[in-house]
Amino acid sequence: MKKNILFTLLSLIFVIMISCAGGGKESSYTDGVYEGSGTGHQGPIKVSVTISSNKIEKIDVLEKAYSDFSDMAVKKVIDETIKKNTIDGVNTVSGATRTTKGTIEAITAALTQAGTIGASSKETVAKEDITVDTDIVVIGSGGAGMSAALSAKESGLDVTLIEKMVYLGGNTVRAKGGLNAAETKYQRSLGIVDTIKTFIDDTMKGGKNINDPELVKYLAENSSDAIEWMVWE
């Protein structure tokens, strides 16, 4: 049931973007393979651009100084450039602005060698207004945002979830730690003895005993239910 609700929620996600309309001159390239470099958030970015029959056939990243976390943002820039057959009108991606700016610089340098790269993007930018009727808007699809959106959907509300990145998950997709909980059925099935009191004591100790005791108590007493709510079976 919960999985169906989540799938319904995801089908209602609206990605609101600024789109760039055409109107500039046609791009004109000389066939070949061209390389260009730019500077991203953590260092140099180098790409090769393959031109065939006046079309951008492919773009390969030869050298990168960014984490895998930015791969999807860079891929978005590359895919959009190939689709438009020009770098004009291709925007940076929020959340990876400096990295995608460096990628755009590198592609621009390569295409400049290939020939004309089209009209200035400043002349072609257009905005598209989208109106959405909804009960609640959740901004950000990290762990907190997805939980809030799913809870609202379970309550029968129409939900619009807005994410600035090109993928869902926010910083939660980078989380490598565990999820604290006590007296769960999974612990019991493995013979692990744990108690809510132990959870409370550990949390207070970790917080140097300046935590709000009532909030810590609420966290510990509801941790097992939170696991049950989150896990699909």
Side-chain angles (χ1 to χ4, degrees):
M1 177 62 178
K2 188 176 297 177
K3 185 180 294 187
N4 292 335
I5 292 174
L6 182 56
F7 287 161
T8 301
L9 171 61
L10 293 178
S11 71
L12 295 174
I13 293 175
F14 291 88
V15 180
I16 302 176
M17 304 175 64
I18 294 178
S19 60
C20 295
K25 60 184 178 180
E26 290 292 326
S27 300
S28 178
Y29 307 115
T30 301
D31 288 0
V33 179
Y34 304 89
E35 295 183 1
S37 298
T39 303
H41 176 59
Q42 297 177 336
I45 299 172
K46 186 175 182 180
V47 304
S48 72
V49 179
T50 301
I51 305 294
S52 178
S53 301
N54 198 36
K55 297 291 185 183
I56 301 174
E57 185 176 284
K58 67 174 181 174
I59 300 174
D60 296 314
V61 177
L62 303 179
E63 180 182 341
K64 70 176 187 177
Y66 55 84
S67 66
D68 293 343
F69 181 69
S70 297
D71 279 344
M72 293 184 69
V74 171
K75 183 178 184 301
K76 180 180 184 297
V77 168
I78 290 174
D79 290 347
E80 189 174 352
T81 302
I82 293 173
K83 181 180 179 180
K84 290 176 177 289
N85 200 42
T86 179
I87 194 64
D88 282 345
V90 177
N91 297 317
T92 57
V93 178
S94 297
T97 303
R98 293 176 64 183
T99 294
T100 49
K101 181 179 179 182
T103 304
I104 290 172
E105 289 176 357
I107 295 172
T108 300
L111 290 178
T112 299
Q113 300 172 55
T116 353
I117 61 173
S120 169
S121 60
K122 292 181 180 179
E123 301 172 357
T124 61
V125 173
K127 292 184 178 180
E128 180 183 356
D129 293 328
I130 300 175
T131 301
V132 177
D133 291 326
T134 188
D135 293 323
I136 186 170
V137 175
V138 177
I139 309 296
S141 68
M146 289 291 282
S147 297
L150 182 54
S151 294
K153 189 64 181 178
E154 286 180 326
S155 298
L157 297 173
D158 287 327
V159 182
T160 298
L161 177 64
I162 298 178
E163 171 59 50
K164 70 178 180 179
M165 294 295 285
V166 295
Y167 53 86
L168 300 178
N171 284 334
T172 305
V173 300
R174 305 184 71 182
K176 302 295 184 181
L179 179 60
N180 296 328
E183 298 185 18
T184 68
K185 68 179 183 181
Y186 305 103
Q187 291 171 307
R188 289 193 293 271
S189 68
L190 295 173
I192 298 173
V193 178
D194 192 14
T195 66
I196 289 174
K197 184 180 184 306
T198 300
F199 189 178
I200 293 173
D201 292 343
D202 285 347
T203 304
M204 293 299 297
K205 180 180 178 180
K208 302 185 185 302
N209 291 306
I210 62 174
N211 318 52
D212 185 323
E214 288 302 313
L215 291 179
V216 172
K217 181 173 181 289
Y218 184 88
L219 168 70
E221 290 180 344
N222 290 276
S223 60
S224 179
D225 290 341
I227 296 295
E228 294 288 334
W229 179 83
M230 185 183 69
V231 177
W232 294 344
E233 291 185 334

